[in-house]
Amino acid sequence: KEMIALLRKQVTTGAFNGYWQNMFLAARYCLENNINLDEGLQWAYQSVNGSFGAPHFNALSTLAGLLDKLGKKEESDSVLKKALAAATMTELNAYAGSILRKKRVTEAFDLFNLNYERNPGAATAVIGMARGHAARGNNKEALYYARKALALAPDEKFKAMVEKMILALKEGKDIDQ
C-alpha cells in the first residue's frame, strides 16, 4: 500500500513527467506484484503513448503483461507482437528466459529461436538456443549450441558460464535452475 501510494503521488504531482521510464517502472511494479492492475495499466499506457511515452520493449511488454492479467488476451497479443519487434537481442533473450522460468517451454523456445534467427552469430542468441533445446529435453542439440556459443564467447566470464553449462549438459543436469 505504501509503495502504491508513493507511486500515485509521484504520478499526480508531476514528478514522473518527462520520462517514460518512470511510468514504466510504476506499471512494472504493479505487474510483478500482481497488485493495482487497473491503475498499473493506465501507467503502462502512459509509458508507451503519453506525451513523453516511447514504444520500447520494456514498456510494451509490461503493457502486454498487464492486459493479459486483466483478461484482454487479444489486445495483449497485439501489443506483445509490437514489443517483440522492438526488442534488442539482449531484451529478447532475457524475456525468453523469463518465459522459460514460468515453465512455458514451447513459447520460450520459439522466442530463443526468433532471437537466433535475428542474430545467428551472436553468443547470447546461440546460448539461448542451447537453453531452449535443453528445456525441451534435447541435450544433443543443446550441447551443439553450447559448444558453438563457447567459440563465440566475448569474454572470460561468458566462456566460464558456457563451460559450466556444457559440463551440466554432459551430466544430464538442468541448466536453467
Side-chain angles (χ1 to χ4, degrees):
K1 286 182 180 181
E2 291 176 23
M3 185 62 165
I4 294 299
L6 176 63
L7 292 171
R8 193 175 287 132
K9 180 179 178 184
Q10 297 296 317
V11 170
T12 58
T13 62
F16 272 10
N17 288 351
Y19 301 97
W20 68 268
Q21 296 93 333
N22 294 330
M23 299 305 276
F24 150 71
L25 290 171
R28 186 61 154 204
Y29 181 83
C30 295
L31 176 63
E32 289 177 353
N33 292 284
N34 201 32
I35 58 171
N36 202 45
L37 298 179
D38 289 319
E39 193 168 20
L41 180 63
Q42 296 311 309
W43 295 339
Y45 275 124
Q46 286 180 308
S47 76
V48 174
N49 301 315
S51 58
F52 53 86
H56 293 281
F57 171 77
N58 287 327
L60 288 166
S61 63
T62 297
L63 175 58
L66 285 161
L67 287 165
D68 187 55
K69 281 196 176 197
L70 290 167
K72 300 177 180 188
K73 181 76 171 135
E74 191 173 310
E75 190 177 354
S76 172
D77 289 346
S78 175
V79 171
L80 184 58
K81 188 175 182 179
K82 290 177 191 173
L84 294 175
T88 65
M89 176 185 60
T90 304
E91 290 168 337
L92 190 52
N93 189 66
Y95 184 69
S98 73
I99 297 299
L100 186 58
R101 283 188 296 281
K102 294 175 184 173
K103 306 298 182 201
R104 293 165 31 197
V105 174
T106 301
E107 186 180 350
F109 181 84
D110 291 345
L111 292 168
F112 284 130
N113 193 53
L114 173 64
N115 204 18
Y116 180 73
E117 287 172 359
R118 289 183 186 173
N119 308 284
T124 298
V126 175
I127 204 64
M129 288 301 292
R131 292 176 65 199
H133 279 291
R136 294 173 90 185
N138 189 343
N139 277 16
K140 183 178 178 183
E141 285 295 308
L143 270 167
Y144 167 80
Y145 283 103
R147 288 180 178 127
K148 187 173 178 177
L150 185 60
L152 297 168
D155 57 41
E156 289 303 313
K157 185 177 178 182
F158 191 93
K159 184 177 179 180
M161 182 267 303
V162 175
E163 287 172 340
K164 183 178 174 183
M165 184 181 286
I166 289 171
L167 181 61
L169 286 166
K170 285 180 179 178
E171 295 173 355
K173 294 180 180 174
D174 184 5
I175 61 171
D176 265 309
Q177 301 177 38

